[in-house]
Amino acid sequence: AQRVTQPEKLLSVFKGAPVELKCNYSYSGSPELFWYVQYSRQRLQLLLRHISRESIKGFTADLNKGETSFHLKKPFAQEEDSAMYYCALSALQYSSASKIIFGSGTRLSIRP
Amino acid sequence: EAGVAQSPRYKIIEKRQSVAFWCNPISGHATLYWYQQILGQGPKLLIQFQNNGVVDDSQLPKDRFSAERLKGVDSTLKIQPAKLEDSAVYLCASSPRTSGYNEQFFGPGTRLTVL
């Protein structure tokens, strides 16, 4: 079964502290994984995808196939990082565009 | 470019009533998705269209939910009759391609409250 698990509903850290949002997945094929973010009063938007291997707004995420994890990390949290973060898995469909399975989300709160 | 548009933004109805939501995707986007997001949960795919055909509706409660995408552009999602557990945010998303992975662009959502 395809599943994405985010064990923390809320993560609260001080400004300047490191951040790690956990994500584990279950998927029988070769996964494509993403992090989506929703800032207050804004739309859900793509933050980063594992195939790009890029850093966006200081965030990085490494796919660990052995541990089936895709944790989101940032070395120094900023107040503007406060938002809802969703880990997501793309399930490829050979005859059509992929569909996405979302985790339940983690609310990140950065304290000043 | 203009983003995905949805209306209404908020809707309050009583159980057993009917409701419809409208979505206008980004121009030229072939694939359109409807998601249901219940409070405290991540978005759950209800139905996926490719142009005006249904690709995946396996999680759509077909006894009460229906959706269509006429002419492969705008889409409507209807609930008839509504139940209390249908209270949620309904998100529409679109993506440009019809195969493989491609980024999904989300609308602002419609918040439905069923009393």
Side-chain angles (χ1 to χ4, degrees):
Chain A
Q2 302 155 353
R3 187 167 56 246
V4 177
T5 303
Q6 293 180 252
E8 305 141 327
K9 283 198 174 295
L10 173 65
L11 183 64
S12 183
V13 301
F14 283 106
K15 177 181 173 182
V19 171
E20 183 178 47
L21 285 77
K22 291 184 168 45
C23 172
N24 288 90
Y25 66 90
S26 173
Y27 183 55
S28 58
S30 182
E32 288 191 85
L33 287 152
F34 313 90
W35 280 96
Y36 277 78
V37 62
Q38 188 166 27
Y39 300 103
S40 180
R41 301 183 188 281
Q42 294 188 28
R43 304 175 183 209
L44 193 60
Q45 59 186 285
L46 179 66
L47 178 63
L48 55 78
R49 65 192 78 175
H50 92 271
I51 56 174
S52 299
R53 295 183 171 276
E54 56 194 348
S55 173
I56 303 293
K57 299 184 179 182
F59 284 97
T60 58
D62 292 319
L63 178 62
N64 185 324
K65 292 186 178 181
E67 296 183 357
T68 60
S69 68
F70 187 57
H71 303 327
L72 183 68
K73 300 177 183 179
K74 184 170 184 177
F76 308 104
Q78 297 172 294
E79 289 187 65
E80 54 265 35
D81 296 329
S82 293
M84 196 74 184
Y85 291 81
Y86 294 94
C87 182
L89 179 149
S90 174
L92 281 176
Q93 302 174 124
Y94 294 105
S95 60
S96 63
S98 62
K99 67 177 183 181
I100 293 182
I101 297 144
F102 287 88
S104 56
T106 297
R107 181 167 298 282
L108 177 63
S109 175
I110 307 301
R111 291 176 281 176
Chain B
E1 63 183 3
V4 175
Q6 290 187 248
S7 68
R9 294 295 310 279
Y10 305 91
K11 189 73 177 179
I12 300 173
I13 61 172
E14 295 188 350
K15 59 183 179 183
R16 290 188 291 273
Q17 286 187 321
S18 302
V19 65
F21 312 127
W22 173 81
C23 172
N24 179 236
I26 294 172
S27 178
H29 280 198
T31 306
L32 185 148
Y33 309 80
W34 281 102
Y35 291 88
Q36 180 192 57
Q37 186 173 19
I38 293 172
L39 187 64
Q41 300 180 19
K44 182 185 82 171
L45 180 68
L46 291 176
I47 188 167
Q48 176 182 343
F49 290 96
Q50 183 167 299
N51 297 310
N52 60 350
V54 175
V55 171
D56 185 341
D57 63 357
S58 57
Q59 298 197 87
L60 187 74
K62 298 181 186 64
D63 57 334
R64 298 183 301 106
F65 285 65
S66 64
E68 60 182 8
R69 190 184 184 196
L70 298 176
K71 301 180 181 179
V73 181
D74 293 3
S75 177
T76 55
L77 176 69
K78 297 179 182 178
I79 307 176
Q80 180 180 6
K83 293 185 175 181
L84 296 177
E85 58 261 35
D86 298 332
S87 293
V89 175
Y90 290 85
L91 295 168
C92 180
S94 69
S95 61
R97 292 174 56 191
T98 57
S99 63
Y101 172 74
N102 54 129
E103 182 178 351
Q104 295 186 17
F105 297 83
F106 284 83
T110 296
R111 183 177 298 277
L112 173 67
T113 302
V114 182
L115 303 175

